[in-house]
Amino acid sequence: LAGAAPELRADPEVAGEALRSDCPLAFSSVPMTLLTDRRFLLEALEGGRFRLDDVLTYGPEAFGSRSSASFATWRKSLAADREIIAADGNLKLAAPMLRADRQVVLAAVRKDGHTLQFAAPALRADRLVVLAAVENDGYALRFAAAPLRADREVVLAAVRQIGFALEFAARRLRADREVVIAAVRGIRQFCYGDDDVNFSPLRFAAQELKSDRGVMFEAIVAQPCAFMDVAADLLRDRAFVLEALRWDGKALDFAPPVVQGDREFVLAAVQQDGEALKSAAPALQADRELVL
């Protein structure tokens, strides 16, 4: 678009096509006449490819500079435009009156749940608004009013979207078996080599659930690294440990030394996944039968 004649850059169809096939930098070549055209901006935002941040980052060239009065007036008009803010979904850029507008906030959080943090306090306590936010992004639970973080339906919606949202649930719900199982389901193989990020939503669950055979097996099925959270009393249940390792040998990577040094457990793991041998105790890595 930058190399086009001025009259073509001012053509909504030409500029719109450039934006559809280009990066946000194309906004730097869009003239003021189009940047101040609500219909043009709405079409760009509703396509989902660009955000208002992109427009505000690259658009100022058309106004001369960010410090110009015309740019300030334009930005202020965007912040107060209900349709623009609703289409964009970023309440951070919205005027205070729109952050308190229920319909605008609902539209915004359905596009970007995390933007709930910028909604007026009354709307962060609005059950419908918060449900819409956590269904889009479970982490939005963090910004909900305390009573809604203790609302079972709201928390279930959040942890089903992303299990780690369990961190922000009320203590009572972090001890709720169904809620915790919902949190660990849907998290699949979210394990890495770095111990700092090897964790499951069980990190935020009540301690007594880490001794629950059903909860822990669900967690290990979802993430073998959940084996790190198995309570000591459950580790003494040999049938449970064998069942977990037969399901996913990778769980041996996250087992304590007492498990990694047990021949029966290591055999179960390597029969499911030969790579598990690297996590066995050194003496068992030299066991010919296990290696074969």
Side-chain angles (χ1 to χ4, degrees):
L1 189 61
E7 62 270 21
L8 289 180
R9 285 192 282 121
D11 184 310
E13 186 177 353
V14 173
E17 188 59 37
L19 290 173
R20 279 189 287 274
S21 59
D22 210 342
C23 66
L25 185 61
F27 278 109
S28 63
S29 301
V30 174
M32 187 188 302
T33 53
L34 289 183
L35 290 176
T36 54
D37 182 327
R38 289 182 72 255
R39 182 182 299 176
F40 177 80
L41 279 183
L42 278 169
E43 286 180 0
L45 295 173
E46 288 171 348
R49 182 173 170 80
F50 301 109
R51 303 297 299 270
L52 195 52
D53 262 336
D54 297 323
V55 182
L56 294 172
T57 298
Y58 298 105
E61 290 190 25
F63 295 87
S65 74
R66 290 179 176 276
S67 58
S68 69
S70 57
F71 175 73
T73 301
W74 175 65
R75 178 168 183 156
K76 188 175 181 179
S77 71
L78 294 179
D81 190 308
R82 294 179 87 253
E83 285 187 272
I84 292 288
I85 295 299
D88 180 57
N90 187 354
L91 293 174
K92 182 179 182 180
L93 302 173
M97 64 178 182
L98 294 186
R99 295 184 185 193
D101 183 310
R102 192 170 188 262
Q103 294 308 310
V104 171
V105 171
L106 263 175
V109 299
R110 283 171 176 154
K111 291 177 72 78
D112 179 1
H114 209 68
T115 202
L116 179 68
Q117 64 184 297
F118 302 111
L123 292 177
R124 285 188 272 120
D126 184 305
R127 195 169 186 274
L128 181 62
V129 169
V130 172
L131 267 173
V134 300
E135 285 170 355
N136 174 271
D137 182 345
Y139 282 127
L141 185 65
R142 175 180 183 179
F143 307 111
L148 292 178
R149 286 187 273 118
D151 183 305
R152 197 167 186 272
E153 184 183 353
V154 170
V155 171
L156 275 169
V159 300
R160 284 169 178 156
Q161 201 284 320
I162 176 67
F164 297 109
L166 185 66
E167 177 181 3
F168 307 110
R171 182 185 297 272
R172 172 177 60 84
L173 292 177
R174 286 187 272 125
D176 184 305
R177 193 173 188 272
E178 183 184 350
V179 170
V180 173
I181 287 177
V184 299
R185 287 176 176 169
I187 302 290
R188 290 286 181 261
Q189 307 300 318
F190 196 81
C191 299
Y192 301 98
D194 185 343
D195 288 341
D196 290 338
V197 291
N198 269 325
F199 69 93
S200 92
L202 284 169
R203 175 176 291 188
F204 310 113
Q207 187 61 36
E208 60 265 25
L209 291 180
K210 298 174 186 179
S211 295
D212 185 304
R213 204 176 193 277
V215 170
M216 293 310 303
F217 189 74
E218 286 273 4
I220 292 167
V221 167
Q223 299 172 273
C225 57
F227 209 103
M228 293 189 295
D229 294 299
V230 177
D233 59 330
L234 192 53
L235 283 175
R236 291 192 288 272
D237 183 336
R238 293 189 67 84
F240 168 79
V241 175
L242 283 169
E243 184 180 10
L245 293 173
R246 285 168 179 157
W247 177 268
D248 192 339
K250 292 185 183 68
L252 190 67
D253 296 353
F254 306 98
V258 66
V259 173
Q260 294 175 338
D262 185 301
R263 192 177 190 281
E264 185 181 12
F265 291 156
V266 172
L267 180 61
V270 298
Q271 284 177 337
Q272 197 283 320
D273 183 350
E275 289 291 312
L277 187 63
K278 70 180 187 298
S279 299
L284 293 177
Q285 290 176 349
D287 185 310
R288 189 171 186 275
E289 183 182 347
L290 290 176
V291 173
L292 288 174

